Amino acid sequence: MNYIEERPWGKFEILSDEEYTKVKKITVNPGGVLSYQFHHNRSELWVIVKGEAVVKLNDIEYTKTYGQTISIAACDKHNIRNEQETDLVFIEVQTGGYFGEDDIVRIEDKYGRDK
């Protein structure tokens, strides 16, 4: 069984955790929003597989739907939110030198988590 972690906005499931990449399936509940954040040590590629996402990347917002992608370079500020009434699901492929959750630098967080 893959590792699943609940978050205030939904949950993530680790599909693959290798030395060279980490792959997650991320589910964002209706009304959920991930913190506006960046990472020093990794880049991410997001693929929307269910629902509609509003992605904020370096202060610019984009709407993404099924099959669309967004590429996030290391140190790019980013978040994703679900304004729909059904779950948003996307696949996150991380590349870089380190994939730990402690490489999240939060700028803003709806749920009051540490920055």
Side-chain angles (χ1 to χ4, degrees), residues 9-21:
W9 43 260
K11 64 184 176 183
F12 70 81
E13 177 180 359
I14 298 175
L15 304 178
S16 178
D17 191 359
E18 306 292 336
E19 180 179 311
Y20 54 90
T21 191

Side-chain angles (χ1 to χ4, degrees), residues 57-107:
L57 180 63
N58 294 320
D59 300 324
I60 299 171
E61 290 192 348
Y62 306 88
T63 300
K64 298 289 184 174
T65 60
Y66 179 80
Q68 293 185 310
T69 63
I70 191 140
S71 182
I72 302 161
C75 297
D76 278 354
K77 299 178 293 182
H78 61 281
N79 78 350
I80 191 168
R81 72 180 183 268
N82 181 3
E83 296 181 343
Q84 304 304 305
E85 295 182 8
T86 58
D87 286 349
L88 162 66
V89 180
F90 66 100
I91 303 300
E92 176 181 278
V93 179
Q94 301 175 6
T95 56
Y98 178 70
F99 309 116
E101 292 298 303
D102 59 345
D103 187 33
I104 297 172
V105 180
R106 289 188 177 95
I107 300 163

Side-chain angles (χ1 to χ4, degrees), residues 1-53:
M1 179 187 264
N2 296 325
Y3 175 80
I4 298 174
E5 187 171 316
E6 299 287 331
R7 293 291 174 105
W9 43 260
K11 64 184 176 183
F12 70 81
E13 177 180 359
I14 298 175
L15 304 178
S16 178
D17 191 359
E18 306 292 336
E19 180 179 311
Y20 54 90
T21 191
K22 182 181 273 188
V23 180
K24 294 179 178 178
K25 176 183 171 187
I26 299 176
T27 302
V28 184
N29 297 331
V33 58
L34 280 68
S35 61
Y36 195 46
Q37 60 185 255
F38 66 92
H39 313 285
H40 291 289
N41 299 296
R42 70 175 183 245
S43 297
E44 298 174 346
L45 176 67
W46 293 350
V47 181
I48 307 303
V49 296
K50 181 182 176 192
E52 181 178 285

